[in-house]
Amino acid sequence: MVAEKEDVEDESLRIDCPVLVTERLVLRPPHQDDIPELAELANNRRVAEMLGRMPHPYGEREARSFVGSVGEGKRSGCTYAVTLAENGAFIGCAGLDARAHGLELGYWIGEPYWGRGYATEAAHALVDLAFRATAIERLNVSCRVINAASRRVIHKCGFQYVGQGMLESIAAGRVPVERYVLDRRTWVSLRSWGQ
């Protein structure tokens, strides 16, 4: 998943950001205790190059700045620490951001936790939140064209491909991305998420 630079203040996109609990995860606001794990997991070029706003290298200073900006409300939308329900371990971040083109889903999971379905589980929870907590008609997401794992998450959530674009990534420079949209009607038909 990628996130772009511009944030937009649009009251219709404002969301109260409740703690979200899924079968295996708890999505909650990031806090100071997350800083060591955040710095360790985010300091990975393979993660940073897939995102727009994550620098590399990524250390404790960047982690403190990120947690501080979320705590002070300097970021639009909802920003979550993704943690394991069984033991509270921090495994990544996810959120919904207001952008010029509407609300956008974003996520990243630390490499030791890849391949276990955590990104899909977090994405499902955030898609549900977006459509339940707002009156949006469509939710946006994008990913690097080389990010097959993120594309699988996007497809599992029911998003439809709408085109390509370019992203200015702090870690990777100017890179091509694929853009996807999920409309409310499709979400309503899929919201059981395969149950």
Side-chain angles (χ1 to χ4, degrees), residues 27-70:
L27 280 67
R28 56 153 177 80
H31 51 64
Q32 296 294 319
D33 293 346
D34 297 324
I35 290 173
E37 290 81 13
L38 171 58
E40 180 181 341
L41 294 175
N43 190 30
N44 181 330
R45 181 165 289 285
R46 293 178 68 189
V47 171
E49 287 184 344
M50 296 302 145
L51 305 173
R53 296 183 285 183
M54 183 180 285
H56 184 78
Y58 192 103
E60 191 171 303
R61 182 180 58 144
E62 289 80 11
R64 284 191 188 288
S65 176
F66 171 75
V67 170
S69 71
V70 172

Side-chain angles (χ1 to χ4, degrees), residues 150-164:
S150 189
R151 186 178 307 105
R152 282 191 298 275
V153 170
I154 290 166
H155 288 161
K156 288 177 190 176
C157 290
F159 284 85
Q160 299 298 307
Y161 177 81
V162 292
Q164 291 188 336

Side-chain angles (χ1 to χ4, degrees), residues 178-193:
E178 295 175 345
R179 301 188 188 286
Y180 296 84
V181 170
L182 176 62
D183 64 67
R184 181 174 288 277
R185 190 170 19 187
T186 303
W187 169 75
V188 167
S189 70
L190 296 175
R191 69 181 170 189
S192 65
W193 299 121

Side-chain angles (χ1 to χ4, degrees), residues 164-181:
Q164 291 188 336
M166 297 299 286
L167 169 77
E168 288 296 334
S169 168
I170 293 171
R174 189 167 173 81
V175 295
V177 295
E178 295 175 345
R179 301 188 188 286
Y180 296 84
V181 170

Side-chain angles (χ1 to χ4, degrees), residues 101-172:
H101 55 274
L103 204 58
E104 183 168 282
L105 170 67
Y107 50 84
W108 67 268
I109 299 295
E111 188 170 4
Y113 302 98
W114 289 357
R116 300 181 194 179
Y118 295 136
T120 301
E121 193 170 326
H124 281 166
L126 287 168
V127 166
D128 287 345
L129 174 65
F131 284 113
R132 287 185 173 134
T134 73
I136 62 168
E137 286 303 315
R138 48 189 273 164
L139 180 62
N140 302 283
V141 68
S142 59
C143 70
R144 295 263 322 260
V145 297
I146 63 170
N147 193 341
S150 189
R151 186 178 307 105
R152 282 191 298 275
V153 170
I154 290 166
H155 288 161
K156 288 177 190 176
C157 290
F159 284 85
Q160 299 298 307
Y161 177 81
V162 292
Q164 291 188 336
M166 297 299 286
L167 169 77
E168 288 296 334
S169 168
I170 293 171

